[in-house]
Amino acid sequence: MAMNDEKDNPGVAVFPPLLFLVVLILMLALRYVWPLAIGGRPLTMVLGIVLAALAIAIIAWGRMTMQRGGTNIDPTKPTLAIITGGPFGFTRNPLYLGLLGLLLGIGLMFDTWWSILVLIPTFLILHSGVVLREEAYLERKFGEPYRTYKTSVRRYL
């Protein structure tokens, strides 16, 4: 289905990388004011590094898969194709999962419960303000092929 270029995007409520950056700054500021240490050093450092590295790898893999598939990565631009390979074969939202994992990993490296506390509202904002809007847009734009993909691959994990 062709869409008017002016409206050919999901109309996300927030740009996900900007949300990540704002939440990361907030989390580190809160840690500075009120540390809420997990108290598991050096284990939290190791887990944080592993989780952050895994998250970065998933984000990079997802971005490369989207580029190879010939679609825009920026959610404010039109989606040009449904990507089903790479990490999109096991989750419909690997980039967003990667951002959440990176946020948690960094929080663990800084040994703070704030990393977990900020994840909840961040996830809810991503879910309602980005993912649900993207799904509605992709259904309007691609119809049955996207609905088939939705039934075969989980939204998150």
Side-chain angles (χ1 to χ4, degrees):
M1 169 195 288
M3 297 182 90
N4 182 333
D5 281 345
E6 290 178 28
K7 300 195 186 222
D8 189 8
N9 68 62
V12 296
V14 61
F15 187 60
L18 180 61
L19 174 64
F20 167 80
L21 184 60
V22 167
V23 172
L24 176 63
I25 291 168
L26 175 65
M27 176 183 70
L28 295 177
L30 287 167
R31 181 199 177 273
Y32 179 76
V33 174
W34 188 16
L36 286 182
I38 296 170
R41 291 258 195 217
L43 181 60
T44 56
M45 178 63 79
V46 172
L47 288 174
I49 290 169
V50 169
L51 184 57
L54 180 61
I56 290 168
I58 289 171
I59 293 167
W61 186 23
R63 288 180 58 87
M64 286 187 298
T65 303
M66 290 178 79
Q67 287 172 331
R68 284 190 207 121
T71 194
N72 289 309
I73 297 166
D74 183 343
T76 63
K77 294 183 178 175
T79 299
L80 305 173
I82 299 171
I83 307 301
T84 59
F88 294 91
F90 62 86
T91 176
R92 296 193 313 259
N93 296 287
L95 297 167
Y96 304 146
L97 282 177
L99 285 176
L100 292 170
L102 184 57
L103 192 63
L104 180 57
I106 292 169
L108 288 172
M109 284 188 268
F110 279 89
D111 190 40
T112 182
W113 283 107
W114 287 113
S115 60
I116 294 167
L117 295 174
V118 300
L119 267 184
I120 297 163
T122 304
F123 171 78
L124 293 173
I125 292 168
L126 266 177
H127 178 72
S128 62
V130 178
V131 172
L132 294 180
R133 290 171 187 232
E134 286 181 344
E135 287 181 353
Y137 161 74
L138 293 170
E139 278 198 44
R140 284 191 312 273
K141 183 163 183 168
F142 296 104
E144 193 55 38
Y146 181 70
R147 283 190 287 279
T148 300
Y149 171 65
K150 271 179 59 173
T151 62
S152 63
V153 177
R154 292 183 181 131
R155 180 181 283 152
Y156 298 112
L157 298 172

